[in-house]
Amino acid sequence: FSESGVPQLVQPMIWDYAADLDVEGKVHLIEKYRRCGFSKVWFASAFKGATGVNQSLTLIGHHLKNHLQWLKVASNSPADVLEGIALTGWQRYDHFSVLCELLPVAIPSLAVCLQALKNGGYSEEVKENVEKLLGMPNLETETFMR
């Protein structure tokens, strides 16, 4: 496959929005891509959407867990393989569906996910930093924000 020249022209993106994504499976997938000649891969996560076609509020904990799993994939992969991560924010499931999770209700989730990626994990300090950045007295990750 590498003789085709394709691995020098493209970089695969591995998509998974699950809170319990299979870390070991993703690491094996990256190894397969490397054996095919791809030197870099991208990850794709979601900070909103991807949890239900008619979801109106964002459950931050689901998306945070997904990003923490991606961090595990990155730490169990060769250091030079990850090119980046795309944080998607799904607005609708297809062009015929209603809108779901509008951006304003998902901004806390975006902030938490970005800070978790920036800091290599999530801690009370990261939570307090997000609360300070957003001017929020109490950030809830396991229940819907009020």
Side-chain angles (χ1 to χ4, degrees):
F1 182 78
S2 56
E3 296 82 31
S4 70
V6 171
Q8 289 70 42
L9 299 173
V10 299
Q11 295 175 336
M13 183 172 284
I14 304 170
W15 301 74
D16 198 325
Y17 309 138
D20 61 348
L21 74 83
D22 178 10
V23 172
E24 187 177 320
K26 295 294 185 269
V27 171
H28 289 307
L29 182 58
I30 292 167
E31 290 169 1
K32 287 180 182 180
Y33 279 130
R34 296 277 283 205
R35 285 194 303 272
C36 290
F38 293 99
S39 61
K40 299 284 186 183
V41 298
W42 288 78
F43 299 160
S45 64
F47 71 91
K48 77 178 195 79
T51 57
V53 68
N54 60 353
Q55 190 84 11
S56 58
L57 299 174
T58 303
L59 187 56
I60 297 170
H62 172 89
H63 301 290
L64 173 59
K65 289 172 188 165
N66 175 254
H67 286 89
L68 296 176
Q69 292 296 92
W70 278 120
L71 286 171
K72 288 179 187 176
V73 174
S75 68
N76 287 296
S77 300
D80 63 339
V81 72
L82 179 60
E83 185 71 11
I85 183 167
L87 278 76
T88 65
W90 292 94
Q91 192 79 21
R92 63 176 61 175
Y93 280 62
D94 60 52
H95 294 292
F96 303 106
S97 296
V98 297
L99 296 176
C100 64
E101 294 183 59
L102 300 179
L103 181 60
V105 300
I107 288 174
S109 180
L110 176 59
V112 165
C113 293
L114 286 170
Q115 287 295 310
L117 291 174
K118 178 183 174 189
N119 290 283
Y122 190 71
S123 64
E124 189 61 32
E125 183 180 334
V126 171
K127 177 183 184 280
E128 290 171 3
N129 187 37
V130 171
E131 289 171 342
K132 182 179 174 188
L133 287 169
L134 297 179
M136 300 176 72
N138 189 24
L139 179 69
E140 294 290 332
T141 60
E142 296 306 317
T143 59
F144 291 108
M145 296 289 297
R146 290 185 288 285

